[in-house]
């Protein structure tokens, strides 16, 4: 029988996990696949890990992975994907915003020969108009800027075949924008549509500040357009400055050179200063990311692993890249 691992990143989801498991169980039972559910506790500060333990004690299909601290959803996903040894992997949120009932549809597309089956949302229930608007703007912008267009309105809810999983594991970058990476690996990809539901309980962990940073991550890891933009602005303002210089020179030849023009001088200095700082900032963004990459730090550390190969907390070894 073919195997499927369902990877569920969870950060402070203690109160929702039972309900999630209750809704997932019948779906899993209905699949003719050997399934396991791998919860990745992303350094929760509440009882999430205890809940995962309870579930694992009751249900042999449940496995758990506990990260040594909160590394963020992207790292939690990577941890889950790294530890899934199965023919296919499904990634799903723990807050029931992604309906588990659609997993069979993902599996059907996989059986039809697709390597990445993503789920595109029709509606975003329970999200404010502002969030919808900013999300829409982000996807449109990525479409324009990036060399690997993201499928619109698509979250992390998706199925990955074994070779897609192996491709993802071979990507060593530290600054991970998973949505982009899922698309970037290529292979045969297709989508299904679903209705995104309101969060079952608790609040979204993504403040606008975090979302803005994620968007920045997405743009800088998949596009050098901002760098190019800085070049174009620099070129444009140099041309303007040159034209203005010619004009000043001709003016001085014709009408002489009385000491005037202080306002224009200040204006030009301020404008160019601003452009230079902006360009420096853009370069800095990329430089900072290069710095983070060159440090080659592991993406996460495992504190505890509940599973078929249950290992104790003493195994909190660095996940060396070569051994992944
Ligand atoms: N999550 C995580 N680490 C974090 C933040 C979130 O593992 O640092 C998990 C969270 O438990 C949930 C999923 O990622 O299962 C999506 O998070 P959330 O619902 O807060 O995001 P949204 O649905 O608003 O995009
Ligand atoms: Mg959510």
């Amino acid at each position: 029988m073919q195997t499927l691992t369902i990877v569920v990143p969870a950060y402070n989801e203690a109160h929702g996990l039972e309900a999630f498991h209750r809704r997932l169980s019948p779906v899993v039972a209905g699949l003719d696949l050997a399934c396991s559910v791998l919860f990745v506790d992303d350094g929760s500060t509440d009882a999430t890990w205890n809940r995962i333990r309870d579930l694992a004690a009751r249900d042999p299909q449940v496995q758990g992975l506990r990260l040594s601290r909160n590394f963020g959803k992207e790292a939690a996903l990577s941890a889950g994907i790294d530890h899934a040894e199965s023919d296919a992997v499904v990634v799903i949120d723990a807050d029931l915003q992604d309906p588990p009932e659609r997993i069979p549809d993902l599996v059907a597309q996989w059986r039809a020969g697709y390597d990445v089956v993503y789920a595109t949302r029709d509606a975003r229930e329970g999200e404010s108009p502002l969030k919808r608007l900013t999300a829409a703007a982000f996807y449109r912008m990525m479409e324009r800027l990036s060399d690997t267009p993201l499928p619109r309105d698509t979250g992390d809810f998706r199925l990955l075949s074994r070779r897609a999983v192996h491709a993802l594991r071979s990507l060593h970058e530290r600054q991970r924008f998973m949505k982009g990476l899922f698309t970037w690996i290529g292979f045969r990809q297709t989508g299904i549509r679903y209705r995104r539901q309101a969060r079952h309980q608790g609040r979204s962990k993504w403040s606008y500040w975090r979302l803005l940073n994620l968007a920045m991550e997405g743009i800088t890891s998949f596009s050098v357009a901002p760098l190019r933009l800085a070049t174009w602005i620099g070129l444009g303002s140099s041309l303007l400055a040159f034209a203005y210089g010619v004009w000043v020179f001709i003016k001085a030849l014709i009408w002489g050179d009385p000491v005037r023009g202080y306002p224009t001088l200040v204006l030009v200095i301020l404008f160019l200063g601003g452009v230079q700082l902006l360009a420096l900032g853009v370069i800095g963004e990329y430089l900072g990311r290069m710095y983070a990459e060159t440090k080659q730090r592991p993406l996460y550390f495992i504190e505890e692993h509940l599973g078929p190969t249950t290992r104790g907390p003493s195994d909190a070894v660095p996940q060396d890249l070569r051994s992944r």
Side-chain angles (χ1 to χ4, degrees):
M1 202 176 353
Q2 286 179 306
T3 53
L4 173 75
T5 305
I6 298 170
V7 171
V8 192
Y11 176 53
N12 291 348
E13 303 278 3
H15 301 290
L17 281 188
E18 282 285 342
F20 174 80
H21 185 252
R22 260 201 310 278
R23 241 178 94 182
L24 184 67
S25 292
V27 176
V28 165
L31 291 169
D32 56 341
L33 289 164
C35 293
S36 46
V37 183
L38 176 59
F39 287 99
V40 184
D41 175 7
D42 186 15
S44 298
T45 49
D46 66 358
T48 300
W49 183 245
N50 291 336
R51 290 291 89 74
I52 295 173
R53 264 228 187 85
D54 297 344
L55 291 175
R58 286 200 328 248
D59 181 349
Q61 288 179 322
V62 170
Q63 301 171 13
L65 207 57
R66 186 186 194 186
L67 305 191
S68 62
R69 67 169 172 84
N70 179 235
F71 283 94
K73 184 182 178 187
E74 316 284 307
L77 279 182
S78 303
I81 289 172
D82 289 347
H83 285 79
E85 280 311 328
S86 51
D87 297 310
V89 172
V90 164
V91 174
I92 187 168
D93 283 359
D95 58 7
L96 288 173
Q97 275 193 290
D98 306 329
E101 292 77 23
R102 302 306 303 272
I103 292 176
D105 301 336
L106 298 177
V107 170
Q109 293 296 324
W110 168 56
R111 291 221 160 109
Y114 288 100
D115 290 282
V116 179
V117 190
Y118 50 84
T120 302
R121 358 182 213 250
D122 274 335
R124 294 171 153 242
E125 286 167 26
E127 289 185 355
S128 68
L130 182 62
K131 177 140 183 196
R132 284 180 216 199
L133 195 79
T134 47
F138 170 71
Y139 284 109
R140 305 301 174 271
M141 186 167 68
M142 280 303 285
E143 221 159 73
R144 296 289 302 275
L145 288 182
S146 164
D147 322 320
T148 45
L150 294 181
R152 280 185 190 187
D153 295 325
T154 298
D156 292 325
F157 183 31
R158 64 186 72 213
L159 178 143
L160 305 158
S161 71
R162 188 189 281 275
R163 62 178 180 174
V165 165
H166 282 278
L168 274 176
R169 281 188 204 159
S170 69
L171 302 179
H172 294 173
E173 57 208 274
R174 256 98 275 282
Q175 318 270 321
R176 299 177 88 79
F177 181 66
M178 293 302 276
K179 283 193 229 295
L181 296 181
F182 287 142
T183 312
W184 185 85
I185 57 170
F187 296 120
R188 275 166 293 177
Q189 308 212 353
T190 189
I192 63 160
R193 304 197 70 86
Y194 77 109
R195 290 179 74 79
R196 179 120 169 125
Q197 288 150 357
R199 221 171 194 291
H200 175 67
Q201 63 86 39
R203 294 182 37 218
S204 169
K205 273 107 203 163
W206 298 85
S207 60
Y208 280 104
W209 179 243
R210 268 184 99 167
L211 279 174
L212 190 71
N213 279 315
L214 184 72
M216 191 84 127
E217 203 68 68
I219 292 166
T220 50
S221 45
F222 279 91
S223 164
V224 288
L227 284 175
R228 210 167 294 149
L229 188 72
T231 313
W232 287 120
I233 293 177
L235 203 68
S237 52
S238 317
L239 283 176
L240 280 178
F242 181 73
Y244 184 65
V246 169
W247 159 244
V248 167
F249 185 69
I250 292 173
K251 207 172 69 168
L253 282 184
I254 300 174
W255 291 292
D257 185 23
V259 183
R260 268 196 293 140
Y262 177 72
T264 29
L265 203 65
V266 170
L267 205 98
V268 167
I269 289 175
L270 284 182
F271 174 70
L272 285 184
V275 169
Q276 282 169 3
L277 281 181
L278 185 81
L280 270 180
V282 171
I283 295 172
E285 283 293 326
Y286 284 90
L287 193 70
R289 279 166 174 78
M290 273 169 67
Y291 178 55
E293 296 296 337
T294 51
K295 281 190 288 195
Q296 287 287 307
R297 285 194 181 147
L299 283 173
Y300 55 84
F301 290 106
I302 304 291
E303 187 168 325
E304 237 176 302
H305 189 166
L306 288 177
T309 53
T310 300
R311 287 172 290 175
S314 58
D315 277 5
V317 288
Q319 294 295 300
D320 191 272
L321 282 170
R322 270 146 297 176
S323 70
R324 296 220 316 248

